[in-house]
Each structure stands twice: as structure tokens, then as C-alpha cells.
Amino acid sequence: MKQYDYLIVGAGLFGAVFAHEARRAGKRCLVIDRRGHIAGNVYTEQVEGINVHRYGAHIFHTNSKEVWDYAGQFAEFNRYTNSPIANYHGEIYNMPFNMNTFNKMWGVVTPAEARAKIEQQRAAAGITEPKNLEEQAISLVGTDIYEKLVKGYTAKQWGRPCDQLPAFIIRRLPVRFTYDNNYFNALYQGIPNGGYTAMVERMLEGVEVRLGVDYLAEKPALDALAERVIYTGPVDAYFGYRLGALEYRSVRFETEVLDTDNYQGNAVVNYTDAETPYTRIIEHKHFEFGAQPKTVISREYSAEWKVGDEPYYPVNDEKNGALYARYKTLADAEPGVRFGGRLGEYRYYDMDKVIESALAAAREELQ
């Protein structure tokens, strides 16, 4: 009989939720993580009394009452609503694209006027069936907004021109013909008071956790400890990149403490021109309505990923989708191992969907 029922590789949200459910079911779990901290990419650390999102902004939002109530067991959420703004050479526009954006751009006042302006610009561009992100964006919001608020930002984010990106990437961006700056428009939304690290700590109460452990470097010895493995790392790395490396976008952060109580007046400001090298600035205190005398900001620089970098966003184009399908065949046939989470399933997951997926996996494993 082995020492543990489950070895859970990764102390992020998927691993923590699964570990919590397994422990509750009486299973012996060991959670390991390559990093020196828990909570994965939602990790927050205190700087000047401010919870800083080390791996970029994470705003919890969901339409699922089940997921909201589940997360609420481990944290009390504040009323933060994500309303980012776009800065184009000093011109400020509301995000997501809504009547405030259209009014600032064109002076239109009614939804009918805004729709007519977009249709006029779409027709002038000669677009009938959008074939790429550029054409899809112009179809959705017109040429002016595409040129100022989409083109430069998206090219920086993905490292390639918009006409070389698939149309579906822009379809998840909200476009509203109301004066509503709420980006997500979800039924439930907020930031956990005290930060995400404290929330994940509560999920992992009573579970053995070992940090600074590289699973793939010590795989045989670690596998020998448990009956089953829940693996949340990169699926291609698990198989030694034998079919080739899946592509990701990575992000580099420049974080600094400033001797002012309010730097930009908003938690998230996107810089949409091509000339500004970073994609956005996060002012962390605004996520929790902080009144500290200093502030902490992070500039985000999007970067091409290479093996050894931190993978953030899967590049879900046709080529990578086909390669992941081949890795999934290997993963499904791997005895004693279940793959989960953003890296294990090579997909973009919002936090609520990670929790949903982990709960579904736990139900299957523990039934």
C-alpha cells in the first residue's frame, strides 16, 4: 500500500480544489509545486500592505451560483467590478466597447447611431465573411475603434499582426450598445479580501504540501509515493516534448512601489498604441479599494514563449490544436495519471471554469 492516495502536481486552483475535495473524502493527498509558493498564477503577496498579483491581474467572476458559493467557503469577496480603460496616446476610452466608447470616438448618442456608424465602416472595408482577427474586429466595432483600440494592443499581446490571427480571438471581447463599463457582466464578481493566496491556503488546510519540488526531475520517486497522480503542469513537458512544443504567450512584469497614494485612478489601464512597449499597467491597490499612503504598479510586457519561460496563454490556433490533440491521445492512455487545468489541458481557463473542472474531476475520481 502506497503512502498517499493522490499525488497532486501543482498547488494552483485546480490542484487545491481537487486536494480539498479528496481530503474531505478521506483520501491521503500530497500536493507538490515547483515554485516556492502555493496558489499558482493567482498568487498574491503583500507589498506596502497591498496585495500584489505577482502573475498579473486576476478578477474572479462567474455566472454559476454553485462556483460562487464554493469559492465563498474560503474567502469573503469584495464588490470589485472590472472596468478597465484604454489609453491611446493620451486619449482615454472605456472598455469594454460600449456606448461610452462610441460617444467618445464618434460623438454618437444612441445605439442606432452607433450601429449605423459601425455598419458604414464595415461596408467601406468591404468585409462580408471575416477571415481573420482584423476583419472580425472591423465587423464588430468599425475601422476607427479597430485602429485605435484593437490593432496595436493585439499585435503586442500576440506578437503578430492582426491579419495573421484567427477571428475567434476577438469574439470573446464584449461589445455593448448600452452605457455599461462592467467588463465581465457576470452575476457574481469580486476580489477575495486578503488576496488569493489566503484563499488557497484555506483550501489546502489539512493537506500535506511540499514546495520547490520539480516533479518531472524526480518523477519515478514521486510516482512511487501515490496510487494516482493529478498532473496540472504542461502536458507537452510531461511527455518530454516528444511531439514538439506547444506554443504559449508569456508575460514579463515590471513592478515598482511609488511614493503616491494613487497613480492612475483605476486598477487596469490598457495601452493600445503600438509605440508603448507594454500592454497595460495594473495598480494593485484599486482591486481592494486600498487607502495606503503608497501604491504598487506592474507594467505588463507580452513575450513569445520558449521552453523554460513561464507559460501563460495557450496559442489556440489550428496548428497547436492539432498538436494538442495528439498529446491528449497520449495523456488519455497514460496509466494512473489524470491531466487537468490550464496547462494540463492546454486551454484558456477563467478561474471559475478551473474550479468547475476540478470539482468535476474530483466527482469522477472519488465516486
Side-chain angles (χ1 to χ4, degrees), residues 138-249:
I138 293 171
S139 296
L140 286 171
V141 292
T143 307
D144 292 338
I145 288 177
Y146 166 71
E147 290 288 340
K148 286 191 173 185
L149 305 184
V150 177
K151 185 178 181 178
Y153 182 88
T154 305
K156 287 189 292 188
Q157 188 175 39
W158 292 98
R160 42 186 67 79
C162 290
D163 60 4
Q164 294 178 22
L165 290 166
F168 74 82
I169 291 175
I170 198 77
R171 288 186 195 133
R172 63 191 294 272
L173 193 67
V175 179
R176 301 201 189 102
F177 293 90
T178 58
Y179 290 90
D180 180 7
N181 297 325
N182 179 356
Y183 191 91
F184 293 120
N185 211 24
L187 284 173
Y188 310 102
Q189 186 172 169
I191 301 280
N193 293 322
Y196 286 101
T197 303
M199 182 178 89
V200 175
E201 274 176 357
R202 292 186 191 103
M203 290 179 176
L204 290 170
E205 279 178 4
V207 177
E208 184 179 348
V209 178
R210 298 182 195 172
L211 301 174
V213 177
D214 187 338
Y215 170 70
L216 295 178
E218 305 175 41
K219 189 174 182 303
L222 290 167
D223 285 346
L225 296 176
E227 301 290 341
R228 295 271 292 161
V229 173
I230 306 298
Y231 177 80
T232 71
V235 62
D236 52 350
Y238 180 93
F239 292 105
Y241 304 103
R242 72 174 73 157
L243 305 175
L246 291 161
E247 291 180 293
Y248 296 86
R249 291 298 290 171

Side-chain angles (χ1 to χ4, degrees), residues 45-269:
E45 58 185 339
Q46 284 227 342
V47 179
E48 296 290 340
I50 298 163
N51 287 308
V52 172
H53 299 223
R54 186 195 285 184
Y55 302 98
H58 287 82
I59 297 109
F60 197 88
H61 58 97
T62 186
N63 284 312
S64 166
K65 188 173 188 306
E66 178 191 6
V67 169
W68 182 251
D69 289 345
Y70 185 85
Q73 299 175 86
F74 310 104
E76 181 181 339
F77 284 80
N78 68 17
R79 58 173 181 81
Y80 179 81
T81 299
N82 192 31
S83 301
I85 60 173
N87 182 321
Y88 177 80
H89 291 306
E91 297 175 21
I92 301 298
Y93 295 90
N94 286 113
M95 302 284 285
F97 304 133
N98 65 67
M99 285 303 300
N100 291 306
T101 320
F102 306 142
N103 175 262
K104 176 75 180 279
M105 187 70 70
W106 299 313
V108 298
V109 174
T110 68
E113 290 173 321
R115 290 180 191 278
K117 191 72 175 178
I118 292 169
E119 176 55 29
Q120 175 193 351
Q121 294 192 352
R122 186 199 63 76
I127 298 166
T128 50
E129 282 294 319
K131 299 179 182 64
N132 53 51
L133 189 149
E134 178 176 285
E135 294 183 356
Q136 182 68 62
I138 293 171
S139 296
L140 286 171
V141 292
T143 307
D144 292 338
I145 288 177
Y146 166 71
E147 290 288 340
K148 286 191 173 185
L149 305 184
V150 177
K151 185 178 181 178
Y153 182 88
T154 305
K156 287 189 292 188
Q157 188 175 39
W158 292 98
R160 42 186 67 79
C162 290
D163 60 4
Q164 294 178 22
L165 290 166
F168 74 82
I169 291 175
I170 198 77
R171 288 186 195 133
R172 63 191 294 272
L173 193 67
V175 179
R176 301 201 189 102
F177 293 90
T178 58
Y179 290 90
D180 180 7
N181 297 325
N182 179 356
Y183 191 91
F184 293 120
N185 211 24
L187 284 173
Y188 310 102
Q189 186 172 169
I191 301 280
N193 293 322
Y196 286 101
T197 303
M199 182 178 89
V200 175
E201 274 176 357
R202 292 186 191 103
M203 290 179 176
L204 290 170
E205 279 178 4
V207 177
E208 184 179 348
V209 178
R210 298 182 195 172
L211 301 174
V213 177
D214 187 338
Y215 170 70
L216 295 178
E218 305 175 41
K219 189 174 182 303
L222 290 167
D223 285 346
L225 296 176
E227 301 290 341
R228 295 271 292 161
V229 173
I230 306 298
Y231 177 80
T232 71
V235 62
D236 52 350
Y238 180 93
F239 292 105
Y241 304 103
R242 72 174 73 157
L243 305 175
L246 291 161
E247 291 180 293
Y248 296 86
R249 291 298 290 171
S250 193
V251 184
R252 178 173 63 85
F253 301 94
E254 285 182 357
T255 298
E256 61 178 313
V257 177
L258 300 178
D259 195 14
T260 178
D261 66 339
N262 187 1
Y263 174 72
Q264 64 184 15
N266 205 50
V268 182
V269 178

Side-chain angles (χ1 to χ4, degrees), residues 274-288:
E275 292 74 25
T276 302
Y278 41 86
T279 54
R280 60 182 179 173
I281 295 180
I282 304 302
E283 188 168 7
H284 300 270
K285 72 188 304 178
H286 294 309
F287 289 126
E288 297 186 61

